[in-house]
Amino acid sequence: MYTTEDFIKAEKQERARFTVFLSVSALFVLLIVLSFALRIKLLTMGLTIVWGFFAIFFLSMYYMPVLHYKKTLHLIRDGRKREVKGLIKDIGHDKIIRDNIECTQITVKTGEDRHGDDEVLLYLDSKKQLPAQVGDSLSFTLFDRFICDYRAE
């Protein structure tokens, strides 16, 4: 399900966003140093405050989600995986955030336990599509609860 192109795309996107952050930050530092050299105290303080707000906002809203996605992709590729076979009972329509990744919930019936049905809640990356419907029987390769790969049974 995940290809080398997905990893390359995530790496390029992370690098591009960090480059934008460094470029804007370099401009702010240049302006701060210039206003400090000209001894304009109010402008120096204002630019420093604006730069701080920019850094916090940009890193938390624009850069960190891409970094978390890239790290999760590497964990999915290199991490410990397990196989689960089951019947799809429900595919959620809402997007949720799980480990800082936007996902779709999928409920899978994996068998019977002593209390009745044994259901597992799995998460599919919202950038990927599951070409299956409720009632289909699939075999999933999982990392934690993230679907890495699937195939029909």
Side-chain angles (χ1 to χ4, degrees), residues 68-69 72 97-103 143-146:
H68 286 300
Y69 185 70
T72 301
I97 303 293
R98 162 89 177 169
D99 293 339
N100 296 312
I101 306 294
E102 190 175 84
C103 302
F143 170 76
D144 189 20
R145 287 186 175 185
F146 284 100

Side-chain angles (χ1 to χ4, degrees), residues 139-151:
S139 176
F140 296 99
T141 303
L142 304 175
F143 170 76
D144 189 20
R145 287 186 175 185
F146 284 100
I147 298 173
C148 302
D149 200 10
Y150 57 86
R151 61 185 170 279

Side-chain angles (χ1 to χ4, degrees), residues 85-98:
K85 296 177 183 178
L87 185 74
I88 297 177
K89 287 193 76 176
D90 184 41
I91 299 175
H93 300 291
D94 297 330
K95 305 289 185 213
I96 63 159
I97 303 293
R98 162 89 177 169

Side-chain angles (χ1 to χ4, degrees), residues 39-143:
R39 300 192 187 279
I40 307 172
K41 186 177 180 180
L42 193 59
L43 182 62
T44 304
M45 289 186 334
L47 285 171
T48 304
I49 290 169
V50 170
W51 180 37
F53 283 130
F54 163 76
I56 291 169
F57 178 78
F58 187 90
L59 290 176
S60 63
M61 299 299 288
Y62 194 66
Y63 177 72
M64 292 307 284
V66 174
L67 184 65
H68 286 300
Y69 185 70
K70 184 184 95 168
K71 286 182 178 182
T72 301
L73 283 182
H74 285 287
L75 286 173
I76 285 172
R77 182 183 63 188
D78 301 331
R80 190 174 187 157
K81 298 179 186 101
R82 62 187 168 97
E83 293 282 326
V84 171
K85 296 177 183 178
L87 185 74
I88 297 177
K89 287 193 76 176
D90 184 41
I91 299 175
H93 300 291
D94 297 330
K95 305 289 185 213
I96 63 159
I97 303 293
R98 162 89 177 169
D99 293 339
N100 296 312
I101 306 294
E102 190 175 84
C103 302
T104 303
Q105 289 182 347
I106 298 175
T107 306
V108 176
K109 178 183 175 188
T110 58
E112 299 275 333
D113 65 0
R114 63 181 176 198
H115 302 291
D117 291 345
D118 188 20
E119 295 180 354
V120 178
L121 187 62
L122 304 178
Y123 299 100
L124 177 68
D125 183 359
S126 63
K127 296 178 182 170
K128 298 294 180 180
Q129 294 295 321
L130 186 67
Q133 302 198 2
V134 175
D136 291 350
S137 181
L138 296 174
S139 176
F140 296 99
T141 303
L142 304 175
F143 170 76

Side-chain angles (χ1 to χ4, degrees), residues 3-40:
T3 62
T4 307
E5 290 175 15
D6 294 326
F7 297 104
I8 293 171
K9 219 185 279 185
E11 187 77 33
K12 283 182 180 177
Q13 191 175 23
E14 185 259 339
R15 214 175 291 134
R17 290 186 181 193
F18 192 68
T19 303
V20 168
F21 174 72
L22 286 180
S23 301
V24 174
S25 291
L27 179 65
F28 268 110
V29 168
L30 179 70
L31 291 173
I32 290 169
V33 168
L34 183 65
S35 68
F36 188 76
L38 295 175
R39 300 192 187 279
I40 307 172

